[in-house]
Amino acid sequence: MTTNHKSQILILEDDAYFRNQLESSCPEMADIEAVGDVSSALGLLVQHNFDLIMVDWHLIQADLLSFNSTIENFQPNVVLMSLFTVPDLANVISAMKLGASDIIWAAQDPKAMKEKIIEALSVPKPKAIAHSFVSKLAESLTEKAMTQKTSLFKARREFSRTFLHQILTQQNLRRTQLASLMSVSPRTLHRHLSA
């Protein structure tokens, strides 16, 4: 986290006590928006850029598709944390599968909460990938596939491998970082890169 950038945090939690606890656990150098309902959160998500979004996992279940779509379209590089009054394994796993980097629960030690929030804010944000690069890559690989009469499966595999190699070099990422961003194991990423 750079010192000249004030972090932007959104907290969506309907339990007022837990919400206040989270606000007081946030670093002083962060601007915080704390709301108790999904519609208010969705309104903020389309208007502001956030570095960290903490959401009550059970609260978003009724409108999960809309919430996830808003995150994907308006907050593509945000770090997402799920909030639980009492975490249970099945819901924690579901939250992680949908992109949560970590969880915080109501009975957690405030010091541990603050450490998790600071850690989430220190995750480096990937640089935006130029769309023109992706278009050129797609065009050149399409032309090559047409010339060589490559099967769709083989052409798609080559595009994926080339694209992933470009992301690694352009974004200056380690393979483990890219695997984490893609929510796959480093072994799975290695398989795609060497296909």
Side-chain angles (χ1 to χ4, degrees), residues 1-147:
M1 184 170 54
T2 57
T3 51
N4 60 352
H5 169 71
K6 201 165 188 180
S7 297
Q8 306 296 312
I9 300 174
L10 173 63
I11 300 170
L12 169 59
E13 174 56 57
D14 62 347
D15 180 295
Y17 177 76
F18 188 19
R19 190 170 59 241
N20 291 336
Q21 195 178 9
L22 289 162
E23 283 186 81
S24 63
S25 296
C26 288
E28 298 73 34
M29 65 287 252
D31 284 334
I32 303 158
E33 294 279 357
V35 294
D37 63 280
V38 176
S39 61
S40 297
L42 290 172
L44 289 167
L45 288 170
V46 299
Q47 294 173 16
H48 306 286
N49 288 325
F50 292 97
D51 300 294
L52 173 62
I53 299 174
M54 295 185 274
V55 295
D56 180 325
W57 176 250
H58 296 290
L59 195 58
I60 63 168
Q61 292 310 299
D63 208 5
L64 193 58
L65 284 175
S66 175
F67 192 84
N68 283 339
S69 174
T70 303
I71 295 282
E72 284 174 20
N73 291 310
F74 292 94
Q75 307 287 334
N77 294 322
V78 77
V79 176
L80 189 66
M81 295 178 88
S82 289
L83 305 173
F84 293 92
T85 307
V86 178
D88 64 278
L89 188 58
N91 282 311
V92 168
I93 290 170
S94 296
M96 294 300 203
K97 282 183 178 176
L98 283 174
S101 65
D102 207 342
I103 66 160
I104 292 180
W105 59 95
Q108 197 167 18
D109 175 56
K111 186 178 175 190
M113 276 186 200
K114 187 168 191 150
E115 285 172 8
K116 282 187 174 203
I117 293 167
I118 290 170
E119 185 178 315
L121 289 171
S122 68
V123 171
K125 304 283 183 283
K127 291 180 240 154
I129 295 171
H131 294 293
S132 61
F133 155 73
V134 177
S135 300
K136 287 176 190 166
L137 176 64
E139 284 175 27
S140 68
L141 289 176
T142 301
E143 196 175 307
K144 181 180 173 186
M146 300 274 286
T147 307

Side-chain angles (χ1 to χ4, degrees), residues 168-186:
L168 282 170
T169 55
Q170 284 192 359
Q171 303 297 311
N172 199 19
L173 294 171
R174 293 191 308 269
R175 285 185 177 207
T176 52
Q177 290 174 307
L178 181 56
S180 174
L181 286 170
M182 293 174 60
S183 300
V184 297
S185 70

